[in-house]
Amino acid sequence: MTTIKPLIKYVKKAAEQATREQFKVKRNFKNDGSVITHIDKELNEYLSKAISSLYPEANLITEESPKIFDNSRDYCFVVDPIDGTDSYSQGMPGWCIAVGLLEKGEPIAGIIYAPLWGGKNGTFIYSDINGPIYINGEKMVIDEIADASLPDKEIQIAIASKTHQIFNFSSFKGKVRVIGSTIIKIVAPLIHNAIGGSIIPKCCIWDIAAAHAIAKKAGLKFLYFNGANVNYSKLYDRSIIEDVIICGHEKVCEIIKNNFIKIDPN
């Protein structure tokens, strides 16, 4: 496999449909309490068919349709038809469509499209196998991402809506931002010049694979709060991540570890 570029047109078409339908959808709930809409299911099927047709040699993991995983295959596509469904279903802009590619468990490429986030035409981020990162068609210059040299009080961190239930972060001097989509949180330092990192609690492989590939190429740290690397082989069975993930500049990751104190559930 040499490129995922043929998938771009499918992701963009999926985003067009999702945008058209956003204000018509009805919220439903899965057994785990998370929100789902008919668009999640339709785009899941659409993108799955496209990937299976173009790359029959690869495994495919999607949020909405469990499949048998073949360990003998080197490549695995990971699809989130709509990341941030709760935000999407309420008419908010913090959602995106994402396709990531793993090679032997390592994230190597990704396509992320948040059509209503960041500007008139949204934010489209793409990095091919062995290729640079492009944001809205422009090649990203690595040293232009969010400035980690900012004073602590000016650094912003993207967090999830329930982060306050996991951490006490009253000592953190900067600001926090709740975005909606886990994937947008991870790549936020590439989009917004004051956001230096993110905290990612409870999620699954489709919530992180595409964004991890992009973050890694941008030189951002991406690891569990305990310092361990994310082992994707443990997530192929659709398990929830084993610990909170932190992502960002090295300095920001240290700030997070020093200022976000886990709350004892007992």
Side-chain angles (χ1 to χ4, degrees), residues 131-147:
I133 300 168
Y134 290 90
I135 301 180
N136 294 333
E138 298 291 329
K139 183 178 178 179
M140 194 190 83
V141 179
I142 298 299
D143 62 7
E144 289 183 353
I145 61 178
D147 188 357

Side-chain angles (χ1 to χ4, degrees), residues 21-41 82-92 94-95 161-162 180:
E21 297 289 327
Q22 182 171 10
F23 296 97
K24 303 176 186 177
V25 298
K26 293 183 179 180
R27 290 158 58 84
N28 292 297
F29 296 89
K30 301 180 188 178
N31 292 334
D32 64 2
S34 60
V35 179
I36 188 170
T37 73
H38 72 277
I39 293 297
D40 294 80
K41 297 177 180 179
I82 294 185
D83 183 56
T85 301
D86 194 355
S87 293
Y88 173 77
S89 68
Q90 297 188 69
M92 299 177 184
W95 60 273
S161 57
K162 294 185 179 181

Side-chain angles (χ1 to χ4, degrees), residues 63 78 80 83 182-183 186 202-211:
E63 181 174 6
V78 184
D80 197 333
D83 183 56
T182 295
I183 289 168
I186 294 170
K202 182 180 176 180
C203 68
C204 296
I205 189 171
W206 46 80
D207 298 306
I208 61 175

